[in-house]
Amino acid sequence: MPRDHRPVKSIRVLLAEDQGMRRGALALLLGMEADIEVVAQVGRGDEIVERALLARPDVALLDIELPGRSGLDAAAELRDEVPDCRVLILTTFGRPGYLRRAMEAGAAGFLVKDGPVEELAEAVRKVLRGETVIDPALAAAALGAGPNPLTARERDALSAAVDGSTIADIAARLHLSESTVRNYLSSAIGKTGTRNRMEAARAARQQGWL
């Protein structure tokens, strides 16, 4: 629809997606909706809050796995810095742990990317009205999966171990003693039912706990 036929007040949307082609396609398709205007696009998670402060979107559509910073961490900061902006997580990874973390971060919705754009546009409208929108299959999976058993420090230690860092490197990065890091990793391995820290990190990521 031509821009001069838009309603007086369009829904202002910020779109965070690291794949440029997909980001452009989503922006184009959403922009064809009569009541939606994409006012900002970013490809990195550490750009989200800064751009939101400038563009003042009504709704932020955030991917989770972004360069620089995760969409979940950005969602938590948006809640504090731009409280009028509603957050809708849009991701390829429909993991139960991600859904729980998104809700804890204050997100108003969680959808996977394989749905039609018409459903996404309607989800944008719903979250702006104060409704919560969650993919039904993912909601059922999250209820069955139970809560994240890892503590914040165990998650930090596993995240630092993903790249194969040594215990000494992890301890320096987290400002902890090596024995404390070993304890956190050992506990995480036990909770994930795996044999070593790399398997534990992989299992935790598959569940959306990291």
Side-chain angles (χ1 to χ4, degrees):
M1 178 174 289
R3 189 170 292 274
D4 57 0
H5 288 173
R6 289 180 180 275
V8 175
K9 175 102 168 71
S10 294
I11 302 171
R12 297 169 59 81
V13 170
L14 177 148
L15 179 59
E17 162 63 56
D18 63 329
Q19 295 186 24
M21 187 175 295
R22 178 177 286 170
R23 183 172 67 248
L26 275 174
L28 179 63
L29 291 170
L30 286 171
M32 294 174 68
E33 297 290 320
D35 57 342
I36 294 177
E37 180 180 7
V38 178
V39 296
Q41 300 180 47
V42 299
R44 295 180 56 87
D46 50 11
E47 297 174 347
I48 291 171
V49 175
E50 180 181 358
R51 291 294 298 276
L53 286 168
L54 291 173
R56 292 291 169 177
D58 301 306
V59 177
L61 291 177
L62 309 182
D63 194 1
I64 291 178
E65 297 195 354
L66 294 166
R69 191 182 196 190
S70 81
L72 296 175
D73 290 338
E77 188 175 353
L78 278 176
R79 178 180 54 193
D80 298 328
E81 298 294 332
V82 194
D84 292 336
C85 177
R86 304 280 284 173
V87 172
L88 179 59
I89 299 294
L90 184 65
T91 182
T92 303
F93 305 100
R95 297 168 180 166
Y98 278 165
L99 173 57
R100 288 180 178 273
R101 289 170 59 196
M103 297 300 103
E104 290 170 359
F110 194 110
L111 296 175
V112 291
K113 291 179 180 177
D114 58 1
V117 71
E118 292 82 8
E119 288 185 8
L120 177 58
E122 186 56 29
V124 168
R125 299 180 186 106
K126 286 181 177 179
V127 298
L128 188 61
R129 292 198 298 263
E131 300 178 38
T132 299
V133 181
I134 299 174
D135 180 87
L138 185 57
L143 288 173
N148 183 348
L150 303 175
T151 67
R153 275 308 197 178
E154 289 166 355
R155 293 198 300 270
D156 290 342
L158 278 184
S159 295
V162 167
D163 61 0
S165 295
T166 65
I167 295 294
D169 290 338
I170 296 171
R173 197 178 310 166
L174 300 180
H175 306 290
L176 298 170
S177 69
E178 292 184 27
S179 61
T180 299
V181 169
R182 287 192 182 92
N183 288 338
Y184 285 141
L185 290 174
S186 177
S187 178
I189 290 168
K191 289 179 179 179
T192 55
T194 52
R195 296 173 297 179
N196 55 57
R197 55 183 168 164
M198 296 305 293
E199 286 186 7
R202 186 161 52 248
R205 285 178 66 85
Q206 287 173 349
Q207 289 293 328
W209 295 338
L210 295 184

